[in-house]
Amino acid sequence: INTLTPSSPTHGAMPPSPATAVHYLATKCVDTVKKPQQTKWFMPWGPNQCDNIQSFDEAMAKGIEANNIVFAVHIPLPNKEMSPWFQFMLFILQFDIAFKMYNQIADGALVHIDVGLAYRDDMNSEWTEMAHSLEQRKLSCNFTATKTHENEGRHYECDLLPFMEVGSVAHKYYLLNIRLPVNERKKINVGIAEIRDIRLVGIHQNGGFTKVWFAMKTVLTPSILIIMIWYWRRITLMSRPPVLLEKVILALGISMTFINIPVEWFSVSFNWTWMLLFGDIRQGIFYSMLLSFWIIFCGEHLMDQTERNRFSIYWKQVGPIVFGSFCLFIFDMCERGVQLKNPFYSIWASDIGTELAMAFIIVAGICACLYFLFLCFMVFQVFRNISGKRMSLPAMSKARQLHYEGLIFRFKFLMLVTLACAALTVIFFIISQVNEGHWHRGEHMVQVNSAFFTGIYGMWNLYVFAIMFLYAPSHKHYGDEQSSDAGVNSCEDIQPTTTITHVDGPTEIYKMIGQEAQE
């Protein structure tokens, strides 16, 4: 749920966009105190505005050293306030670097950054330090023009760099003070050319979208919870014990309820910086359960009566899903887990971290596509089994033949809906992972509007609701058939056409396909 794509403000009756990007230009403040006894915060504007300069040429003319310059950024822009409804803040850094013949960017140049983050809730109170860190970011810049004296002063084209991520927006105002300390003896910030300005892009979730999102979760939570309780009650009323498919459907309902519970409401009142990590964990559990359910759902309609209802036979399919989810969890902990203590940390800040992160994203996308192809193959096998059993329908009585024709049609429709749901889930997962990488790398992103985002979430809930409703055992019995049909016991109960369930198993289709597989 954290991978929301920033887009332009909405107009008219359009739903709120998931997130917004705001551009900031740092103000160059001058720190005249050599060794301050306590941390001093520099404001870029307002009544307590710092002494500032417009350019480094002015600093050189006034004899101001680079170590006395502080880049100050106030969040948000003047006459605005941040809100807990924004949920998170993600910042991307860009340097404006001028070309000089005598001071060029060295290969593999690292920028050492001394950065502090402070907050306050009114314009008159003192700033309170929230985080402080010494960070390094590798420059990746390209000078497109010819490196001659005539082109001095033109800017390099530099990649955007990951800078900061905060998992909650509990305060109204934030302040960033950034220093670029220079130490020629230790080779700190040497060979980075002439940095003239620092620009930041701040991304936060839109308050309007947050309210729509919370409202959806609040409405859908009791819906899934009620149908899940009703479903399991119907299972427990049966004389037989629940089979594997029914247990997995219950587990799917529990995972859907877990991701639905709107604990985000508390994040509006409490400074819970771990909500992004917790949201990732919840979504990961649901992904694992949903993908495992589809494998078992198709598999149980392929096995014969002696092989089905055993979870152990699915370890080759479910095992890789669990292992992949665990790897993604470890990857998430390596970044968002560390960011709980240091919001300036990013696994994308180093070459090894970037390569590892990109490898994770690429492998995850490939595995998702392979999973969908495998699921299509399983659905094809299920359809082939149904076609084999359908050959015996003409030998039945007209009423029973129509009954089974209806069951087969509804089951095939459900399988096609399952495939469609799986396809959209895989597409959404891949787009989310790609956007996650592009956010940190500063590249163009695939735009995901709020309709698609909330639509996928609503589709999951509707699908889980439909599965539990259709697979809840029916306790209504109809009169016995007077005639005996080929391959079907005459005393078998015919179920209402509103569901596809059967008292002797999860569904009549489930029982019928098991007999066909055994034959």
Side-chain angles (χ1 to χ4, degrees):
I1 298 177
N2 55 293
T3 51
L4 305 174
T5 306
S7 53
S8 58
T10 56
H11 302 276
M14 293 294 290
S17 300
T20 295
V22 181
H23 295 263
Y24 298 90
L25 175 63
T27 298
K28 292 179 279 292
C29 297
V30 179
D31 183 8
T32 56
V33 181
K34 296 293 183 181
K35 293 183 179 180
Q37 298 298 317
Q38 59 183 5
T39 303
K40 180 180 179 181
W41 296 98
F42 295 86
M43 268 287 291
W45 45 262
N48 298 320
Q49 182 179 1
C50 65
D51 297 330
N52 61 79
I53 56 176
Q54 298 301 315
S55 66
F56 280 90
D57 293 334
E58 181 184 345
M60 293 179 64
K62 294 181 177 180
I64 301 172
E65 298 181 357
N67 288 329
N68 297 122
I69 295 177
V70 180
F71 294 87
V73 177
H74 186 277
I75 308 166
L77 296 172
N79 301 319
K80 296 183 181 298
E81 292 182 359
M82 300 300 285
S83 167
W85 293 101
F86 293 164
Q87 292 292 286
F88 69 89
M89 294 188 300
L90 174 67
F91 281 86
I92 298 171
L93 173 70
Q94 184 177 30
F95 292 109
D96 286 352
I97 304 178
F99 170 74
K100 295 288 184 180
M101 286 293 293
Y102 66 90
N103 185 14
Q104 300 184 26
I105 296 178
D107 293 335
L110 285 176
V111 178
H112 295 255
I113 305 172
D114 183 351
V115 56
L117 175 66
Y119 69 86
R120 67 183 182 184
D121 291 308
D122 63 75
M123 296 301 293
N124 299 318
S125 62
E126 295 295 324
W127 291 101
T128 303
E129 183 176 291
M130 182 175 173
H132 182 270
S133 180
L134 298 174
E135 296 293 325
Q136 294 181 1
R137 295 294 186 267
K138 184 177 180 180
L139 289 178
S140 179
C141 301
N142 183 33
F143 191 68
T144 56
T146 307
K147 293 184 178 180
T148 60
H149 288 283
E150 290 75 15
N151 290 323
E152 282 193 347
R154 298 183 63 173
H155 285 188
Y156 287 87
E157 293 184 1
C158 296
D159 291 345
L160 297 175
L161 302 171
F163 184 61
M164 180 183 74
E165 185 170 9
V166 180
S168 68
V169 190
H171 306 284
K172 294 181 179 179
Y173 309 106
Y174 294 87
L175 180 65
L176 280 168
N177 279 183
I178 304 170
R179 298 172 184 263
L180 304 178
V182 177
N183 189 321
E184 294 185 4
R185 184 173 59 85
K186 295 182 178 180
K187 302 297 182 181
I188 294 177
N189 284 336
V190 175
I192 60 174
E194 185 178 308
I195 297 178
R196 290 191 171 179
D197 280 307
I198 292 180
R199 300 178 186 273
L200 294 176
V201 179
I203 301 171
H204 62 78
Q205 188 165 296
N206 279 339
F209 176 80
T210 303
K211 294 174 183 178
V212 171
W213 180 244
F214 286 9
M216 277 191 66
K217 301 191 82 169
T218 304
V219 171
L220 291 172
T221 297
S223 303
I224 297 297
L225 186 61
I226 290 172
I227 190 69
M228 183 176 66
I229 295 173
W230 172 82
Y231 164 79
W232 193 245
R233 180 177 176 275
R234 301 297 290 265
I235 298 293
T236 55
L237 291 177
M238 303 295 292
S239 57
R240 58 171 176 80
V243 297
L244 174 63
L245 184 56
E246 292 168 335
K247 295 176 182 177
V248 173
I249 291 174
L250 176 66
L252 181 64
I254 293 174
S255 65
M256 189 78 255
T257 303
F258 183 53
I259 199 175
N260 277 346
I261 296 174
V263 294
E264 290 86 353
W265 283 111
F266 293 101
S267 67
V268 178
S269 302
F270 300 96
N271 186 18
W272 288 355
T273 56
W274 46 265
M275 281 303 297
L276 283 179
L277 179 62
F278 182 62
D280 287 349
I281 293 173
R282 290 200 298 174
Q283 190 165 357
I285 292 174
F286 176 72
Y287 271 136
S288 300
M289 192 62 245
L290 186 63
L291 300 182
S292 301
F293 165 75
W294 283 330
I295 293 294
I296 296 174
F297 177 62
C298 293
E300 288 295 281
H301 289 91
L302 287 172
M303 306 293 181
D304 60 31
Q305 298 290 3
T306 58
E307 292 182 333
R308 61 172 41 159
N309 202 25
R310 289 187 299 162
F311 183 75
S312 58
I313 65 176
Y314 295 103
W315 70 269
K316 290 183 179 180
Q317 294 84 15
V318 176
I321 295 174
V322 176
F323 176 75
S325 300
F326 179 74
C327 290
L328 289 175
F329 168 73
I330 295 299
F331 172 72
D332 210 36
M333 286 296 296
C334 289
E335 182 165 38
R336 289 216 163 100
V338 178
Q339 285 173 348
L340 295 178
K341 292 293 184 180
N342 178 16
F344 302 103
Y345 172 81
S346 175
I347 197 173
W348 300 84
S350 64
D351 289 340
I352 296 177
T354 299
E355 292 174 1
L356 181 64
M358 287 303 299
F360 261 88
I361 292 173
I362 293 171
V363 171
I366 293 174
C367 290
C369 294
L370 292 176
Y371 170 86
F372 179 71
L373 293 176
F374 178 70
L375 185 65
C376 290
F377 173 71
M378 293 190 72
V379 171
F380 170 75
Q381 287 185 309
V382 172
F383 278 13
R384 188 175 60 180
N385 276 8
I386 291 179
S387 299
K389 189 63 180 177
R390 199 169 186 175
M391 301 295 291
S392 62
L393 294 185
M396 299 179 182
S397 66
K398 191 66 175 176
R400 187 171 290 275
Q401 182 179 343
L402 291 174
H403 172 66
Y404 275 100
E405 285 281 0
L407 288 178
I408 291 173
F409 173 79
R410 291 196 297 278
F411 179 75
K412 282 189 172 183
F413 179 76
L414 179 62
M415 295 300 293
L416 293 176
V417 169
T418 296
L419 273 184
C421 184
L424 290 173
T425 299
V426 168
I427 292 172
F428 179 74
F429 173 78
I430 293 175
I431 290 177
S432 299
Q433 295 301 312
V434 169
N435 280 347
E436 179 78 6
H438 285 188
W439 259 13
H440 292 89
R441 289 164 60 88
E443 298 175 355
H444 295 291
M445 294 169 289
V446 180
Q447 294 296 315
V448 180
N449 60 28
S450 56
F452 182 70
F453 189 85
T454 55
I456 292 293
Y457 178 68
M459 177 195 69
W460 288 339
N461 278 272
L462 185 60
Y463 179 80
V464 173
F465 186 97
I467 287 291
M468 287 192 288
F469 175 75
L470 293 173
Y471 276 77
S474 175
H475 298 278
K476 296 180 181 179
H477 301 280
Y478 284 69
D480 297 341
E481 291 284 327
Q482 297 300 320
S483 59
S484 177
D485 298 321
V488 182
N489 193 319
S490 61
C491 64
E492 186 179 291
D493 297 313
I494 300 179
Q495 296 305 304
T497 57
T498 54
T499 64
I500 55 175
T501 59
H502 189 264
V503 292
D504 296 328
T507 67
E508 290 189 70
I509 295 293
Y510 172 92
K511 181 180 179 183
M512 185 172 66
I513 294 178
Q515 293 170 345
E516 178 68 20
Q518 196 164 2
E519 292 168 5

